[in-house]
Amino acid sequence: MSRSRDEEFIVKIFTSGSFLDDGEIPPGTRKEILLRIGENPNVKKVIAETRPEYITSEKLSEAESALGKKFEVAVGLETSSDMIRKDCINKGFSFNDFIMASEVARLEGVSVKVYLLLKPIFLSESTAIDDIIHSISDAAPYAETISINLCNVQKGTLVDQMFESGDYRPPWLWSAIEVLKKGKEFNPEITIISDPVGAGSARGPHNCGKCDKDAAEAIKIFSLTQDAGVFKDLDCECRELWKKALQLEEYTFGSPVIR
Ligand SMILES: [Zn+2]
């Protein structure tokens, strides 16, 4: 890390699982990790990823007292639709489980970050857009920050198999922009962010190749400023193609018409 000595920063703990799960991180280890991070005066806040079922008053107050500074839980909700979460992503918790966990966090003064996933498999581009716009509004009352992950094709997954056989295309960056614009318009009070990882590559979110860099840059600027005005001057000939693809995919049951 090349940070100046007194620059404040946020620590994110991602275990690819649940930091608050005792089976994964024994309570003593968790306490020790938080105590040590808490000793660093430059750490402003710690964000830890966890499934909702591990968010209990007991665990949160233990974590907060070990850390001694602002603690935030990050939940991979992916969508507010229980059907899409179950059928397309295969995560065994409900939107209601998330709401209950968020209420526990509120009572403990712990902030909540939510991850949503734009375009899991089996959804057409326009269904995926609608899903996330709805999900932002549904989750907004229960979170301080909503982070939109744009689906990437990871090797060895079902997404990969479908991608290889031409049955899956990662989301267009135009779709991501649409989701951020509408999400912010309907929920101006909430912070909505997105890090367009892998933008511009075939296996990542992409447009036509010519405008990907500008689109990704605009998404990054929006995430910092929350000002959707950054998208206003963004245009490319592929925008019309994207609009056509949104319409046509309704007739191909979600199979991509444009790669
Ligand atoms: Zn383009």
Side-chain angles (χ1 to χ4, degrees):
M1 262 190 288
S2 60
R3 296 181 189 279
S4 70
R5 284 181 77 193
D6 28 62
E7 197 185 336
E8 284 193 323
F9 59 93
I10 293 170
V11 175
K12 295 182 188 172
I13 306 176
F14 294 119
T15 56
S16 288
S18 295
F19 182 65
L20 299 179
D21 174 8
D22 291 349
E24 214 175 298
I25 315 261
T29 310
R30 185 162 54 235
K31 190 176 169 193
E32 189 62 29
I33 291 170
L34 293 172
L35 274 171
R36 290 201 200 174
I37 297 174
E39 280 167 7
N40 186 325
N42 294 346
V43 173
K44 194 166 71 171
K45 175 163 92 172
V46 171
I47 307 175
E49 203 169 49
T50 185
R51 283 172 62 99
E53 62 261 40
Y54 304 114
I55 299 176
T56 63
S57 304
E58 194 194 352
K59 292 227 168 107
L60 294 182
S61 55
E62 272 172 19
E64 279 186 300
S65 61
L67 181 65
K69 44 188 81 176
K70 209 167 162 5
F71 188 58
E72 180 165 292
V73 284
V75 178
L77 178 66
E78 318 300 3
T79 166
S80 64
S81 158
D82 286 338
M83 198 181 81
I84 294 175
R85 193 178 322 93
K86 181 172 170 288
D87 293 345
C88 306
I89 310 172
N90 195 19
K91 277 203 167 177
F93 64 82
S94 67
F95 184 55
N96 209 37
D97 294 335
F98 160 73
I99 292 176
M100 289 193 302
S102 157
E103 280 167 355
V104 169
R106 282 274 153 86
L107 288 174
E108 292 296 327
V110 168
S111 53
V112 177
K113 182 177 188 179
V114 163
Y115 287 99
L116 298 177
L117 179 66
L118 179 64
K119 208 178 174 192
I121 47 175
F122 307 131
L123 296 188
S124 70
E125 193 85 15
S126 68
T127 307
I129 293 172
D130 290 345
D131 170 46
I132 297 305
I133 293 173
H134 281 125
S135 295
I136 293 171
S137 294
D138 289 342
Y142 308 102
E144 278 69 31
T145 309
I146 296 182
S147 178
I148 316 292
N149 286 329
L150 313 178
C151 196
N152 265 281
V153 180
Q154 307 284 342
K155 281 272 176 214
T157 59
L158 179 58
V159 186
D160 186 24
Q161 279 177 35
M162 290 186 64
F163 172 78
E164 290 297 342
S165 59
D167 293 322
Y168 179 77
R169 183 203 192 277
W172 288 73
L173 291 165
W174 292 125
S175 302
I177 288 167
E178 183 69 11
V179 157
L180 295 173
K181 265 165 46 179
K182 290 274 164 58
K184 192 68 193 177
E185 184 188 329
F186 300 152
N187 308 276
E189 73 294 343
I190 195 143
T191 301
I192 308 174
I193 58 173
S194 180
D195 182 8
V197 177
S201 71
R203 292 177 162 266
H206 62 275
N207 285 349
C208 69
K210 274 183 273 179
C211 62
D212 292 58
K213 229 178 125 197
D214 289 345
E217 190 56 32
I219 290 172
K220 285 181 195 162
I221 293 170
F222 170 82
S223 300
L224 290 172
T225 62
Q226 296 296 294
D227 178 8
V230 69
F231 300 128
K232 228 175 48 207
D233 297 328
L234 205 63
D235 204 7
C236 180
E237 55 206 18
C238 75
R239 197 155 195 279
E240 288 306 313
L241 202 61
W242 164 71
K243 284 187 191 163
K244 274 274 170 299
L246 291 183
Q247 292 169 357
L248 289 173
E249 282 185 15
E250 293 310 295
Y251 302 99
T252 61
F253 301 98
S255 271
V257 288
I258 298 153
R259 300 299 296 270

